[in-house]
Amino acid sequence: MTKVAIIDDHDLLRFGLKTVLSHSGDLEFVGERPNGEGASAFLKEVGADVVVLDLRMPVVDGLAALEDIRANAPGVKVLVLTTSDVEEDILSVHRIGVEGYALKTLSPKAIVDAIRAVARGERFLSEEVRAVLESYDSSGELSTREREILEFMSKGLSNPDIAKILGISAGTIKKHAQHLYDKMGVSDRAEAVARAFARGLLKVAFAGATVAFALGASADIPAPLFHDAYTADPAPLVSGGRMYLYVGHDADDADRLKMPDWMCYSTADGTNWVSHGVVASPTNFSWAAENRAWAAQCVERNGKFYLYTSGRTKNGANAVGVLVTDSPSGPFHDPIGRPLVARTNGDIDPTVLVDDDGKVYLYWGLADLYVARLSDDMISFDTSFGTDGVFRPGRPRYYHSGPWVWKRGGKYYMAYSSRKIPVGVAYATADAPEGPWTFVDWFVQADVRSPSTQVGIAEFLGKSWIFGYNYELYAERTPAPRPHRERRSVWMLPLEYIDDGRIREVTW
């Protein structure tokens, strides 16, 4: 008898698969788990020969579990059984290595046949998965010179800069670049770099905070964290042992605000970052104007990921929207078909706090500060809170926009962009999530080199981290005078608390 274990967060699927296995005659069900936490230890404990593994699960997802199994229970054969036919997921699984990748659209009989095939040591792939792998451009299909150029592109170097390093003309670099674009089926360098990370041609995005992370000590604002795109409005999320960073994407030709989409990067160690490329855009909404991918924050709740966004409606009104997905890297979709809130010109820059009692609060506001308590569905307001679900707690001193709210030691903190130019970041505290908020001090020092900034904060690997943005990448790439303002770049630094709970100011 082949011993089969199941790791999947859907109760109905586990029940159905156990029932099918009980009638198979040659497959024995030996155990189940609702997520990938401790996967290898669990499989050893139950003596599994084969594990049926879902990808998108809370706590620890399937990719992290697969890496654990490959490292610590290599004798167990793995059949990935998932709803995802997304290229990024398929290629990520392919790089780690599995015996089978099946879609949940298969019939029960076909799934049992797939388990049997994997148990025999055969490879099983659903047709959709096989098609993706057959069309996959491996790194061997790019020349050595093309791979070299692609690596330099990922670090944000221009064609003339790459030409100087390689000792060839910029025109030759341009020709090589066009050849690799054609091979990869992309139209420009940003798309090439994003696809290269997704396909494993580039393993790690450039990280400017390596030294700061390793030291865990305060430092001046560092070099840009990412060089493959202009990025702004950083919003970190920790999930499944990884930190995901959602950023607004400034277009390469941005003059003022031209932000076509939201991008996502992630890391397991705070030093090595992987790009997930574009994960959402205003085009995910039927009501939103293009190039208005303003500040957004993603939170995990009830096994799903909710991206709260700011931008404009097609009628020109500022608005907060919400998108949802089963995976932190998307794809996202609009669950309500309208803005979550579009009442005033101040409806931008959302941030979310999940309090210790499980209640969830949404804060936002330009010039004025607003707060709402979200209902359990995360896509509507609890109307018992405030007026029609919205409360105005009064803005703390110097408040302008870009709030970020978190809790530490029983106290609520709010960082926000100030009303003076150049923009610094101040912070306030409160004893309750709805306030009132009291200004404490400055958080990020204002500087003429960064006429605006906005921050995000996260606890990761036992430390506190702050993300902001400046204009250093644009300055590096563009000689003075620099006529275009809004081409920004994200940075990362440790966040330090003083003994009395105050925050040590980040300086330039």
Side-chain angles (χ1 to χ4, degrees):
M1 295 281 282
T2 298
K3 296 181 178 180
V4 181
I6 305 168
I7 300 178
D8 194 297
D9 63 324
H10 290 94
D11 296 341
L12 185 59
L13 183 137
R14 296 199 308 273
F15 175 79
L17 191 52
K18 286 187 291 184
T19 302
V20 172
L21 292 174
S22 68
H23 293 90
S24 67
D26 60 336
L27 302 174
E28 178 188 359
F29 168 73
V30 293
E32 62 183 305
R33 283 286 175 88
N35 62 68
E37 187 173 19
S40 63
F42 159 65
L43 295 175
K44 290 177 182 177
E45 180 183 346
V46 299
D49 301 309
V50 175
V51 59
V52 179
L53 177 67
D54 192 13
L55 283 186
R56 295 177 175 173
M57 298 179 290
V59 186
V60 175
D61 66 18
L63 287 178
L66 180 56
E67 291 177 337
D68 173 32
I69 294 166
R70 283 297 177 240
N72 300 305
V76 179
K77 296 181 172 64
V78 180
L79 173 66
V80 167
L81 181 64
T82 177
T83 58
S84 176
D85 59 358
V86 176
E87 180 178 356
E88 179 185 344
D89 287 339
I90 294 170
L91 296 177
S92 295
V93 168
H94 174 67
R95 288 194 294 273
I96 299 171
V98 292
E99 286 71 30
Y101 192 123
L103 299 182
K104 290 180 178 179
T105 51
L106 292 177
S107 68
K109 180 181 182 304
I111 293 173
V112 168
D113 288 343
I115 295 172
R116 288 175 175 142
V118 165
R120 292 193 298 268
E122 301 171 7
R123 194 179 190 201
F124 181 91
L125 299 173
S126 288
E127 291 182 10
E128 298 89 340
V129 176
R130 189 180 302 278
V132 169
L133 293 177
E134 287 176 352
S135 64
Y136 169 49
D137 289 322
S138 70
S139 59
E141 294 180 15
L142 298 179
S143 69
T144 300
R145 179 66 85 193
E146 288 164 350
R147 292 198 300 275
E148 260 185 329
I149 291 170
L150 188 60
E151 182 71 31
F152 285 124
M153 285 179 177
S154 74
K155 296 179 178 179
L157 297 179
S158 66
N159 285 354
D161 290 337
I162 299 171
K164 288 179 184 177
I165 294 171
L166 297 181
I168 55 182
S169 72
T172 301
I173 295 294
K174 186 175 181 180
K175 289 179 182 178
H176 281 303
Q178 190 57 57
H179 290 159
L180 73 89
Y181 296 164
D182 292 340
K183 288 182 179 180
M184 297 179 72
V186 300
S187 58
D188 57 35
R189 64 163 51 205
E191 191 178 358
V193 169
R195 186 163 297 185
F197 278 115
R199 292 183 171 181
L201 308 186
L202 296 170
K203 297 299 184 185
V204 176
F206 181 84
T210 301
V211 175
F213 192 94
L215 294 176
S218 63
D220 291 342
I221 290 176
L225 189 57
F226 311 118
H227 279 62
D228 60 316
Y230 290 113
T231 55
D233 302 333
L237 164 72
V238 177
S239 174
R242 296 187 71 83
M243 180 159 61
Y244 295 83
L245 188 67
Y246 299 84
V247 294
H249 173 205
D250 286 336
D252 286 350
D253 62 346
D255 185 3
R256 297 183 182 275
L257 290 176
K258 184 179 180 182
M259 305 178 73
D261 41 54
W262 293 279
M263 302 177 68
C264 179
Y265 300 82
S266 72
T267 180
D269 59 11
T271 297
N272 299 312
W273 290 84
V274 173
S275 171
H276 299 281
V278 173
V279 295
S281 84
T283 59
N284 290 117
F285 299 109
S286 61
W287 50 266
E290 295 183 355
N291 291 318
R292 293 293 188 272
W294 296 347
Q297 183 182 349
C298 188
V299 295
E300 184 176 3
R301 189 76 169 161
N302 303 323
K304 294 186 179 294
F305 297 84
Y306 296 86
L307 184 69
Y308 297 89
T309 70
S310 54
R312 280 186 180 164
T313 69
K314 292 177 180 177
N315 295 327
N318 286 345
V320 173
V322 58
L323 298 170
V324 65
T325 184
D326 294 325
S327 166
S329 58
F332 287 87
H333 71 274
D334 179 2
I336 58 177
R338 55 175 173 75
L340 182 59
V341 58
R343 307 180 348 153
T344 74
N345 189 53
D347 292 331
I348 62 170
D349 294 353
T351 184
V352 181
L353 168 74
V354 180
D355 208 350
D356 299 337
D357 60 4
K359 293 178 180 176
V360 185
Y361 297 86
L362 180 74
Y363 304 80
W364 72 94
L366 172 66
D368 284 311
L369 177 64
Y370 303 90
V371 58
R373 192 161 61 209
L374 290 166
S375 302
D376 290 341
D377 62 12
M378 297 291 285
I379 57 175
S380 64
F381 292 165
D382 178 353
T383 56
S384 68
F385 179 85
T387 303
D388 297 328
V390 178
F391 178 66
R392 294 178 64 180
R395 65 189 183 194
R397 188 180 180 191
Y398 302 117
Y399 178 87
H400 179 263
S401 60
W404 186 277
V405 179
W406 72 105
K407 191 176 184 181
R408 180 180 184 268
K411 188 173 288 294
Y412 298 87
Y413 287 76
M414 177 189 293
Y416 50 89
S417 298
S418 74
R419 288 187 285 127
K420 66 179 185 178
I421 300 297
V423 173
V425 177
Y427 72 99
T429 59
D431 295 323
E434 63 270 26
W437 295 92
T438 302
F439 167 80
V440 178
D441 208 340
W442 293 98
F443 187 9
V444 178
Q445 192 178 78
D447 192 280
V448 294
R449 289 168 290 180
S450 189
S452 71
T453 196
Q454 193 162 316
V455 300
I457 293 152
E459 296 288 323
F460 185 58
L461 300 181
K463 300 175 184 176
S464 298
W465 299 98
I466 174 175
F467 296 85
Y469 67 76
N470 56 29
Y471 297 73
E472 292 301 295
L473 181 61
Y474 178 47
E476 288 176 13
R477 293 179 175 180
T478 311
R482 304 180 184 95
H484 306 296
R485 288 181 53 198
E486 304 303 338
R487 301 180 191 178
R488 297 162 290 181
S489 45
V490 165
W491 50 259
M492 170 188 181
L493 276 179
L495 185 156
E496 287 189 274
Y497 294 93
I498 305 171
D499 290 342
D500 61 0
R502 295 167 68 91
I503 300 171
R504 193 180 303 280
E505 186 177 21
V506 175
T507 60
W508 289 77

